[in-house]
Amino acid sequence: MARWGAFICDGAGVDESSLAGAEVVVTTTLPPQAGDLACKLIGTWTRYNLDGGILIGAVPELVEELLKESLRQAGLDPFRLVVVDLRGRDKEGKDREIKAALTRARHLEPTHWAKAKVEQRALIIGGGAAGLQAALSLRQLGLPVLIVEKEESLGGRLGKLDGLYPYDVDPQGWIKSTIATLQEDPEVEILTASKPLALAGQVGDFILEVQTPTGAVTRRGGAVVLALGSKVRWPQESGLEPGPRVVGLSRLDELTRFRLRHKKVAFLLDLDELGSRVGTLSALRGALRIKDNWGSEVHVLCRHLKVDGKPLESMYRKARDMGVLFFKYEEFPQVTESGEEVTLQFKDPDLEYMVVEEAYDLLIVEEEILPAGEELMEAWSVSQPANVRLYPVATNRKGIYMVGCCRDEMDFPGAIQDGTVAAGEIYALLGEGDLLYEEDRVKVRSEKCVFCLTCVRICPHGAAEIDLVQEAAFINPAACQACGMCAADCPAQAIVYKGFDNEGIMAQLEMGGR
């Protein structure tokens, strides 16, 4: 007979005596802190040589993944632990949930783990700040890297800036230093003026085809970093057209290098009603530079100025101290161009909706910042959805990471943080040289598969493949993230999802569990 343990989270409100039975050989209370909870659970499991356990009163989305990873590292089977969520249950409902969990636990089979050798190299697409930081961090961790950049030089947009106020960073100096470090490293391959064509394989063994100036080449790597940057779109819906008196915010660094003689300059922000933190940062930095370089009168028009955090707040206060005026608007201003001036007319809610009309020599318009590389990500079936189970740089596909502005708008510190985090994730994946995965978590019964390819079409992780020899689908165990979509949608019921088989689920439901 199997030996089970009942682990009760402190505060679950469950009577230990109600769990007594032949199968439950030990009952213990666990502390609420996830780390302490994992340590005591593993200690008890090991001491009593348990076959499995039920964890009662935990919130699954907060502790389940941590506990299962801790169990795996301790050499125990994480899929022999059933988490029982008691939220919203009265005493009778709690009893039903616990009995249903024990019923389900009886149907659980042990999981078999396998190892596969990995390519200990990262393939980085994009040579901007986030991509360069990822490469730098990976080399510090000892992993070789390949950098593919579409431009003829590395650095991205950062290489075109001459300042990053309020951050104490010299962008040109950082770029030169980082590139020099990477170019001197024999374990770094850099392909500039090159375009990624195709990506094949799965986590641990990706094959990248790249078009270089001298022809197509292929490279292998265990992980891929997409650092594709962003693109700027002119806000056509505004009705404005770029010209001598109306320019985009992205041109500001180029303009402020020259000593122009504009007496009055306006920034027009938040055209899409949402605005952008990066747009606010660029506008404040530009306003300060214009005051320093041109001595112009500067106005900033916005719906909501995004000055979260100390650096942006200090920039805002400094701009106010230097004479920059800030106006708010709710309805988009009326814009009229006449001769050498651009006139803006709007109602400011902070001035009791008084009509403000001002003429400017130069109007600087915030453009829309969009992620770059949509075609590439669509072709490679990669996305970075707002999923609470995904870490910020993770994607729907194991071994592929997104960093920098291609996943979200961010400033320089954010890009550096993304690159560093991705490097740490990749090292955890490839650093040991072996990829550990659950060998039989999801299986296809080839004798029942009708080769309809439903699973291939719907798999959000790219794990469903085609086995031409068996003439059946195949779920790649290393790439599978056990979401269960393939098993749920298979019209022939040919896919078996261990831990969620029909018999176990029906037994759980019959006991009144959810």
Side-chain angles (χ1 to χ4, degrees), residues 222-241:
V224 178
V225 178
L226 299 178
L228 303 171
S230 61
K231 59 185 179 182
V232 174
R233 187 182 74 87
W234 181 263
Q236 297 289 348
E237 61 275 12
S238 68
L240 302 173
E241 294 294 336

Side-chain angles (χ1 to χ4, degrees), residues 1 43-44 115 154 162 201 226 247 272 313 336 345 371 400 432 457 463 504:
M1 180 179 292
T44 305
K115 284 185 178 182
L154 300 174
D162 56 9
L226 299 178
V247 301
D272 63 354
E313 180 69 27
T336 306
Q345 186 183 86
I400 301 182
E432 297 297 323
R457 289 192 296 270

Side-chain angles (χ1 to χ4, degrees), residues 68-87:
K68 288 186 173 181
E69 178 60 21
S70 299
L71 286 168
R72 185 191 66 78
Q73 291 181 2
L76 303 174
D77 189 345
F79 295 102
R80 300 280 277 182
L81 177 71
V82 178
V83 179
V84 185
D85 183 3
L86 299 181
R87 288 176 295 179

